Amino acid sequence: MRWREGDRNRSRAFTRKRDAELFDAEQRRLRQFRGVNHVVGDDVRLSEFADKWWTDYAEVHLSKRTRANYAVQLDARIIPELGGLRLRDIRPSTVETWIATMQRRGDGAPSIVRASAVLSAILQRALVSDLVDVNAARAARKPRQAPPRRPDPIEPLVVEKLRAQLEPANSTLVAVLAYSGLRPESEALTLTWGNIGERTLEIHAPASHNGQTRHVRLLKPLADDLKTWRETSGNPPASSLVFPGPAGKPWTERGWQNWRRRVWRPAAKAAGLAEGSRPRDLRASYASVLIRGGMTVVEVAHELGHSPQMCLRVYGRAFAEAPKRRVKPETAILNARKELARSLSVPSTVDVKAIPERKRPAFAGPS
């Protein structure tokens, strides 16, 4: 075997041709990670490998939102402090020293754990590529985080009170979140009319949530809401977004934050929700009505798009406290709408236009 390393000619002899071919293939693979003519993998720096990892892995397998979060950690915490190290020099003790530095600097535990997760993802690809013999980030000890926020389901009656504060577009969006359990930014706001069937919603999960397609049951009350909204929107084609932004484009991160501040918070306050309630809490509302309807852990997990283990870990209390008397999800929603109609003395259809005394925020799409 002969090759060029920098300005030097190098060679190595093998007793078998096959060994020489394997060595040649390995050196070619290592060169791809560095963009230079070096052939010795021991000198690959974290910053060099991170660039390759971003192009070949992150941009292919991670969602735009996840990449944005990862970029913050790379630019602020990983590359400035560890980027110059050779991959083989990053040991568990190195990572723990790095974590201690962030703690002394005052970085919070969630930020440190996120940065460690990004570093672990990079080193895992290096491990698969045989550039390191251990994922040092995975082996290092990390700071403890506070327990995750317990899901706080919003009852169907409160959901309907919230919807009564809103214009049709916003009201329908809340119904989709509460009665199908879609993830707000990545699933509900990317939903198109072509994804809506007669009895199911076809959901294309983002790469950060396994990227698989699942079919969520379309409850009859929600199907009626979507039909009405489509007619109100002028019967757009199947390729159009159900909740479009300006010029029919997807929402931006800024647009979603504006919606939460200008539309969600006032309506949530008027409906009596606790301070700090989030649109994402409506996923728990959907899980709650399914559990009370008698669905199993596996069935609920499929509807929400995660594993049965995760479902039981998050909603175990709801399963344990589910009443013996089962109520179908459709029945629970219709009962809530009838109860709201009686309390407001309006027709049972709860037409929001028939409630002139309530101030309803306008639809606030992306900006």
Side-chain angles (χ1 to χ4, degrees), residues 109-144:
S111 296
I112 294 174
V113 171
R114 281 195 294 269
S116 299
V118 177
L119 178 62
S120 179
I122 296 172
L123 293 180
Q124 185 62 28
R125 301 312 304 174
L127 179 63
V128 171
S129 302
D130 295 326
L131 295 177
V132 296
D133 55 7
V134 65
N135 184 337
R138 181 173 293 179
R141 184 175 182 179
K142 303 169 187 63
R144 287 188 175 183

Side-chain angles (χ1 to χ4, degrees), residues 12 193 219 341:
R12 181 173 176 180
W193 290 110
L219 302 179

Side-chain angles (χ1 to χ4, degrees), residues 42-53:
D42 287 349
D43 291 334
V44 177
R45 307 283 172 172
L46 176 64
S47 59
E48 296 171 349
F49 185 77
D51 290 340
K52 183 69 175 176
W53 171 84

Side-chain angles (χ1 to χ4, degrees), residues 46-348:
L46 176 64
S47 59
E48 296 171 349
F49 185 77
D51 290 340
K52 183 69 175 176
W53 171 84
W54 186 268
T55 301
D56 293 351
Y57 183 81
E59 292 185 350
V60 175
H61 299 285
L62 303 180
S63 67
K64 182 178 179 181
R65 182 181 179 87
T66 300
R67 292 200 306 270
N69 292 332
Y70 276 24
V72 171
Q73 303 303 328
L74 280 167
D75 295 340
R77 296 182 172 89
I78 298 175
I79 299 303
E81 300 180 41
L82 302 176
L85 296 178
R86 293 179 297 182
L87 289 174
R88 67 185 181 89
D89 291 336
I90 301 176
R91 313 301 298 176
S93 59
T94 310
V95 178
E96 290 185 355
T97 301
W98 170 62
I99 290 174
T101 301
M102 290 188 287
Q103 289 176 315
R104 287 193 296 270
R105 191 170 60 204
D107 292 357
S111 296
I112 294 174
V113 171
R114 281 195 294 269
S116 299
V118 177
L119 178 62
S120 179
I122 296 172
L123 293 180
Q124 185 62 28
R125 301 312 304 174
L127 179 63
V128 171
S129 302
D130 295 326
L131 295 177
V132 296
D133 55 7
V134 65
N135 184 337
R138 181 173 293 179
R141 184 175 182 179
K142 303 169 187 63
R144 287 188 175 183
Q145 292 192 86
R149 175 176 172 177
R150 185 173 65 85
D152 189 13
I154 301 173
E155 296 294 329
L157 178 59
V158 181
V159 171
E160 293 305 315
K161 289 181 179 179
L162 190 152
R163 294 182 62 230
Q165 316 296 321
L166 303 171
E167 293 289 348
N170 296 315
S171 177
T172 308
L173 174 57
V174 169
V176 167
L177 298 177
Y179 303 142
S180 69
L182 303 191
R183 297 178 178 92
E185 303 100 312
S186 59
E187 295 178 350
L189 298 184
T190 60
L191 190 70
T192 65
W193 290 110
N195 297 135
I196 302 174
E198 294 184 5
R199 293 185 295 274
T200 61
L201 299 176
E202 184 178 74
I203 307 302
H204 303 286
S208 55
H209 294 284
N210 72 40
Q212 296 181 354
T213 298
R214 72 181 192 278
H215 292 85
V216 177
R217 65 181 60 196
L218 180 58
L219 302 179
K220 181 63 165 57
L222 178 58
D224 293 340
D225 294 338
L226 287 169
K227 181 180 178 181
T228 300
W229 170 233
R230 189 170 192 177
E231 293 173 352
T232 303
S233 304
N235 292 310
S239 59
S240 298
L241 292 169
V242 178
F243 307 105
K249 295 182 179 180
W251 290 42
T252 63
E253 176 67 19
R254 181 180 178 183
W256 173 245
Q257 296 303 328
N258 285 341
W259 188 88
R260 288 185 58 175
R261 183 176 66 257
R262 300 173 183 174
V263 179
W264 171 265
R265 290 179 186 174
K269 182 177 180 181
L273 289 176
E275 184 72 23
S277 63
R278 309 167 300 171
R280 196 176 182 86
D281 292 336
L282 295 171
R283 270 173 64 80
S285 302
Y286 183 58
S288 179
V289 298
L290 295 181
I291 293 170
R292 294 177 183 179
M295 291 185 66
T296 66
V297 173
V298 174
E299 290 172 325
V300 175
H302 172 76
E303 292 289 315
L304 296 177
H306 53 216
S307 68
Q309 293 81 0
M310 173 66 76
C311 182
L312 192 58
R313 185 160 61 246
V314 175
Y315 300 108
R317 181 174 178 179
F319 279 102
E321 297 181 354
K324 293 183 179 180
R325 181 175 176 271
R326 305 303 188 189
V327 179
K328 291 183 178 180
E330 294 89 343
T331 302
I333 297 170
L334 293 175
N335 288 343
R337 294 183 176 184
K338 291 177 181 178
E339 185 174 348
L340 178 63
R342 286 195 297 268
S343 66
L344 297 176
S345 299
V346 297
S348 59

